Amino acid sequence: MSTEFGRSTVLGYPRIGAKRELKKAVEAYWAGTIDAAALERTAARLRAEVWRSLHHARLGSVPSNTFSYYDQVLDTAVAVGAIPARFAALGLTELDTYFAMARGVDAEPALELTKWFDTNYHYLVPEISPETVFTANPEKPLREYAEASALGITTRPVLVGPATFLLLAKGAKGEDPFARLDDLVETYAGILTALAEAGVAWVQLDEPAYVADRTPEEIDALHRAYTRLGEVEHRPRIFVATYFGELGDALPALVDTPVEAIGLDLVAGPGNLDRLAGAGPLAGKTIVAGLVDGHNIWRTDLRAALAVAATVAGLAGSVAVSSSCSLLHVPVDLALEIDLDPELRERLAFARQKVDEVELLGRAVSDGTAHLPAPLPAAPASWRHELVRERLRGPQHRARGAYAERARAQQERLGLPELPTTTIGSFPQTAELRQARAAVRNGTLDGAGYLERMRAEVQHVIRLQEEIGLDVLVHGEPERNDMVQYFGEQLDGFAATEFGWVQSYGSRCVRPPIIYGDVSRRGAMTVEWSSFAQSLTSKPVKGMLTGPVTILAWSFVRTDQPLADTADQVALALRDECRDLEAAGITVIQVDEPALRETLPLRRADQKAYLEWAVGAFRLATSGVADSTQIHTHLCYSEFGEVITAIDALDADVTSIEASRSKMEVLDDLAAIGYGRGVGPGVWDIHSPRVPSHGEVVAALRRAVGAVPARRLWVNPDCGLKTRGYAEVEASLRHLVAAAAEVRAS
Ligand code: GLN
Ligand code: ZN
């Protein structure tokens, strides 16, 4: 058996299938239309396809156990026996226990779902309690290894490493899961032995948590963990993969352990290269150089990458080339995108194409026989938009008048009661709406017919809100299935793909648009919808836009200019849209920024610069309106942490925010930094199908009134209602309006 790592690899691969076959199979299983055996057959076929394609591409090392029915962190929890008792007690099959943890069942809510580092992928947060008994359960990686072996393909099983696993976990009763590291490492030792007994030569343990700021104790613990795993007598060779940034002090710590290979992200963390030079003796180690961007869809400049690989080769015992992170974060195959503009297409690489890049580069590094293509010429001139560039030259206007003055002008114009009630924007996306969109796609419904259906929906939503008695209405966003996609379709500089699906969580996939050129607005994007809705009521209807940071966060963004510049281009388009809405008689405009925190850089040292341009772009988008036009923003999380002062700096007149699960603590946080404008803490957790009772909403409001003066307090749900059904929405909104009236009266 070869002990070489191999000259090329990828850290992981999309598992959902080029046409989302896994999504469809898993959802069919949930719906009860196929059984577990049928689901497993589809899964096995998808796994085999991936291995075969990586093998045929002649990758030096092929990963396995990168398949997952839902999430790789959940898989790791199962592999170490960290199944919370409340799920084990359900008495379900293994597969159904797994799905119960992922999705919850009537009796038990699911594990918490949260963002995977700075990506748009969500993982399930492992729950570790003092009662958790870690036990090695390597059945899945073993089974997949054997499955690939049966196809004649030797693979490298991939698991989340023990330190990252615990750093991502939460203590069931507030205890620190990381304190269990030594204990968990012994379980990993057992897994390693089992893998070695099955003939596994290399294992990949992912430790991305170490590209964020870590304490010296956490770095010591990493060193201790891998020193111990290195000492396991009968084990595969260990490859510790890191990605999404720079390892910093964790790099020399890892180098000082017996692990045979270390993976570094040289795309998101170019500084890793310098750090490597002084990191300690590397003679016996393989450095797996992440040179092909696994987080974006642009082709690699292979000649530049080769130069970096050569530098790494000069430092390390040997070098292998890899993707910078798992290819999970990019779509599967560019070959399916036959409608893309050829000039754009030739600049792109999806997962399948990135595998070829990695292989070519690996060959070039190891024996110099590969011929590397020349880098692409500069972007076509038609992708430039001189007018936008001209507008962005020189200082930008990012400030509104004093808040006191604005508040007065808005109150005079809107005449809202105390504790005004509103919603976050979307109303339920019903089966009829989805059918109408499908009918347009397959040609059975024309544009006029579609418009008519959407208008009927807007009419229905407005009537319903009037009847329930909300104060600031919305049009309900029936015309948007995905808000970023919606704006991307209407802006120049954006391209949409047909099959560019990326897993967001579980069976959920998104199709992020590609921002390839200068962004400009062809014409008004939302005005017709908003003014139609406004024409149906005398109450104010909120205009509804998605903010520049969120549009960037949920797109694949060009890398040939700073993100800040692209954000400002988007902001200018939104600024014009705000003005047009205002001119059409819209008095309240909401600019959503649910992604403001998710793109926060992982290292504190980089956060200030990010927040500066992020806040700047929002203010550029929203500061072109009159004092009397009320600007709202909406953020989808309650733990502000580092971003709380940035939220204040957005200078929105009203900020609506998730709060029902955090019991209104966010209000104290806001008060502590002196936030003095309108705030709408969500009083209804729309992520749950539960209808909050009248009493619950009253109680939440009373707590809120204790923390914020009533004249600044808004009453609204946590987030948009598009995933809910009308029955719950109606009942909940009625409770909300009645509760507001009751608290107002007292
Ligand atoms: N206005 C959007 C909606 O209601 C906000 C979506 C979000 O917060 N993610 O759907
Ligand atoms: Zn939200």
Side-chain angles (χ1 to χ4, degrees):
M1 191 196 309
S2 165
T3 55
E4 299 267 304
F5 183 83
R7 63 191 177 193
S8 53
T9 195
V10 294
L11 300 187
Y13 200 79
R15 54 222 180 190
I16 208 86
K19 301 217 165 141
R20 294 182 297 160
E21 294 88 338
L22 185 63
K23 169 195 177 69
K24 288 164 198 160
V26 165
E27 289 177 357
Y29 176 72
W30 293 339
T33 54
I34 65 170
D35 64 7
L39 172 60
E40 176 52 29
R41 276 196 299 279
T42 300
R45 186 171 56 72
L46 288 169
R47 288 193 290 264
E49 263 172 30
V50 170
W51 291 321
R52 283 213 182 92
S53 116
L54 300 182
H55 182 66
H56 287 156
R58 294 182 300 159
L59 276 194
S61 175
V62 173
S64 62
N65 201 40
T66 60
F67 172 83
S68 180
Y69 275 128
Y70 205 98
D71 167 44
Q72 72 272 11
V73 180
L74 180 60
D75 294 341
T76 305
V78 172
V80 300
I83 298 176
R86 61 195 179 97
F87 294 107
L90 294 171
L92 301 170
T93 64
E94 214 174 292
L95 183 64
D96 289 344
T97 306
Y98 177 88
F99 284 137
M101 289 192 276
R103 311 172 64 223
V105 287
D106 281 347
E108 282 304 331
L111 296 179
E112 207 174 287
L113 193 67
T114 197
K115 292 267 164 194
W116 179 243
F117 300 93
D118 56 357
T119 74
N120 196 17
Y121 177 79
H122 302 64
Y123 69 93
L124 288 157
V125 180
E127 256 172 47
I128 307 299
S129 77
E131 290 79 48
T132 306
V133 180
F134 294 122
T135 40
N137 176 21
E139 202 196 311
K140 178 177 180 287
L142 285 175
R143 202 178 338 114
E144 292 188 19
Y145 178 79
E147 237 176 79
S149 298
L151 300 170
I153 303 168
T154 303
T155 59
R156 175 188 85 237
V158 178
L159 290 154
V160 177
T164 291
F165 179 79
L166 290 177
L167 287 167
L168 297 180
K170 69 169 203 189
K173 297 174 189 104
E175 62 285 67
D176 177 15
F178 200 66
R180 300 283 303 274
L181 184 62
D182 292 346
D183 183 8
L184 180 61
V185 163
E186 291 313 309
T187 302
Y188 272 74
I191 294 176
L192 293 192
T193 302
L195 293 177
E197 277 165 5
V200 170
W202 281 92
V203 66
Q204 173 182 327
L205 298 175
D206 286 1
E207 293 288 4
Y210 281 84
V211 306
D213 295 320
R214 290 295 160 211
T215 64
E217 293 71 31
E218 286 165 342
I219 291 174
D220 279 350
L222 180 76
H223 180 260
R224 200 166 66 244
Y226 284 94
T227 302
R228 165 68 188 114
L229 291 177
E231 284 162 359
V232 172
E233 217 164 295
H234 193 40
R235 65 165 174 91
R237 303 187 137 228
I238 299 172
F239 162 36
V240 178
T242 70
Y243 38 87
F244 301 143
E246 292 174 8
L247 259 187
D249 292 342
L251 180 52
L254 262 185
V255 168
D256 189 48
T257 68
V259 302
E260 284 81 7
I262 297 170
L264 297 174
D265 185 336
L266 295 166
V267 176
N272 278 325
L273 190 60
D274 279 345
R275 196 65 203 243
L276 194 60
L282 293 169
K285 296 210 193 303
T286 298
I287 295 299
V288 182
L291 290 163
V292 168
D293 194 349
H295 199 180
N296 209 337
I297 41 70
W298 305 101
R299 264 179 58 176
T300 308
D301 177 346
L302 291 172
R303 295 182 181 196
L306 181 61
V308 178
T311 309
V312 177
L315 295 168
S318 67
V319 58
V321 174
S322 79
S323 56
S324 64
C325 59
S326 168
L327 298 179
L328 183 66
H329 310 292
V330 293
V332 178
D333 194 357
L334 184 64
L336 299 175
E337 302 299 330
I338 45 183
D339 290 337
L340 273 183
D341 169 5
E343 280 191 302
L344 173 58
R345 202 167 178 278
E346 68 175 0
R347 288 174 162 75
L348 302 178
F350 290 179
R352 186 61 199 78
Q353 290 69 40
K354 285 175 187 282
V355 169
D356 289 336
E357 289 189 332
V358 160
E359 196 281 329
L360 194 59
L361 202 50
R363 208 151 18 100
V365 173
S366 76
D367 61 16
T369 58
H371 173 74
L372 297 182
L376 288 163
S382 62
W383 292 5
R384 286 175 65 88
H385 199 289
E386 294 308 331
L387 215 64
V388 172
R389 298 198 155 253
E390 188 50 47
R391 277 181 77 186
L392 283 173
R393 236 162 263 146
Q396 298 302 314
H397 181 256
R398 302 184 199 261
R400 299 187 69 197
Y403 174 66
E405 186 47 39
R406 272 151 47 194
R408 198 198 47 72
Q410 289 161 21
Q411 189 45 30
E412 199 175 288
R413 187 169 179 199
L414 297 169
L416 294 169
E418 265 188 357
L419 304 179
T421 53
T422 190
T423 61
I424 306 304
S426 57
F427 267 65
Q429 283 276 338
T430 58
E432 293 79 62
L433 293 176
R434 276 194 292 270
Q435 273 156 19
R437 257 192 285 282
V440 171
R441 273 197 304 277
N442 62 34
T444 54
L445 185 67
D446 63 6
Y450 178 71
L451 204 67
E452 198 181 313
R453 298 237 188 130
M454 296 300 128
R455 284 179 161 231
E457 183 68 18
V458 171
Q459 216 148 12
H460 169 241
V461 168
I462 293 287
R463 273 205 206 108
L464 181 66
Q465 295 172 89
E466 284 207 309
E467 194 256 310
I468 292 175
L470 288 145
D471 299 308
V472 173
L473 313 193
V474 297
H475 79 284
E477 305 177 31
E479 77 288 7
R480 310 175 192 177
N481 52 350
D482 178 284
M483 57 196 204
V484 172
Q485 197 176 317
Y486 179 79
F487 286 99
E489 278 164 10
Q490 304 193 62
L491 288 165
D492 277 345
F494 282 73
T497 63
E498 195 174 349
F499 296 104
W501 296 102
V502 178
Q503 188 178 14
S504 165
Y505 66 90
S507 67
R508 280 286 189 102
C509 298
V510 293
R511 222 167 11 145
I514 298 167
I515 308 183
Y516 63 89
D518 288 342
V519 175
S520 76
R521 198 181 67 133
R522 291 192 287 270
M525 303 184 283
T526 64
V527 174
E528 253 182 76
W529 294 109
S530 292
S531 42
F532 172 64
Q534 185 64 82
S535 74
L536 303 170
T537 175
S538 56
K539 296 232 172 120
V541 173
K542 262 198 281 195
M544 204 46 72
L545 304 174
T546 302
V549 181
T550 300
I551 289 189
L552 259 58
W554 296 348
S555 302
F556 290 118
V557 186
R558 58 193 285 191
T559 52
D560 61 341
Q561 69 178 20
L563 283 174
D565 294 354
T566 307
D568 272 356
Q569 291 186 352
V570 175
L572 272 191
L574 294 169
R575 185 179 176 94
D576 294 349
E577 186 74 11
C578 284
R579 286 232 175 102
D580 284 353
L581 283 167
E582 191 177 50
I586 300 300
T587 51
V588 182
I589 303 172
Q590 179 171 309
V591 180
D592 294 322
E593 282 293 19
L596 180 69
R597 201 182 70 162
E598 86 182 44
T599 18
L600 188 70
L602 299 171
R603 295 255 182 211
R604 266 185 289 279
D606 305 324
Q607 290 172 357
K608 189 165 169 272
Y610 159 79
L611 288 173
E612 235 164 64
W613 70 251
V615 168
F618 182 91
R619 293 176 64 132
L620 179 59
T622 53
S623 60
V625 297
D627 278 357
S628 60
T629 296
Q630 190 167 68
I631 297 289
H632 289 214
T633 191
H634 165 67
L635 308 159
C636 284
Y637 40 84
S638 54
E639 282 153 35
F640 296 138
E642 308 81 344
V643 296
I644 191 158
T645 49
I647 288 170
D648 189 29
L650 294 177
D651 197 26
D653 298 303
V654 179
T655 303
S656 69
I657 197 131
E658 193 172 301
S660 50
R661 277 185 286 186
S662 69
K663 307 259 183 294
M664 302 286 148
E665 282 152 22
V666 299
L667 295 179
D668 301 326
D669 297 346
L670 277 175
I673 60 143
Y675 179 90
R677 296 183 300 282
V679 57
V683 290
W684 163 26
D685 175 9
I686 67 91
H687 297 98
S688 139
R690 271 188 75 253
V691 172
S693 71
H694 172 86
E696 271 171 74
V697 182
V698 169
L701 284 179
R702 290 204 195 284
R703 261 197 306 275
V705 175
V708 177
R711 69 191 151 73
R712 289 202 281 110
L713 193 63
W714 284 66
V715 182
N716 48 258
D718 254 356
C719 194
L721 308 174
K722 65 173 162 236
T723 59
R724 302 265 62 101
Y726 264 106
E728 315 149 46
V729 163
E730 264 196 64
S732 303
L733 290 180
R734 281 187 208 284
H735 293 170
L736 209 132
V737 168
E742 184 177 321
V743 177
R744 218 177 265 157
S746 63

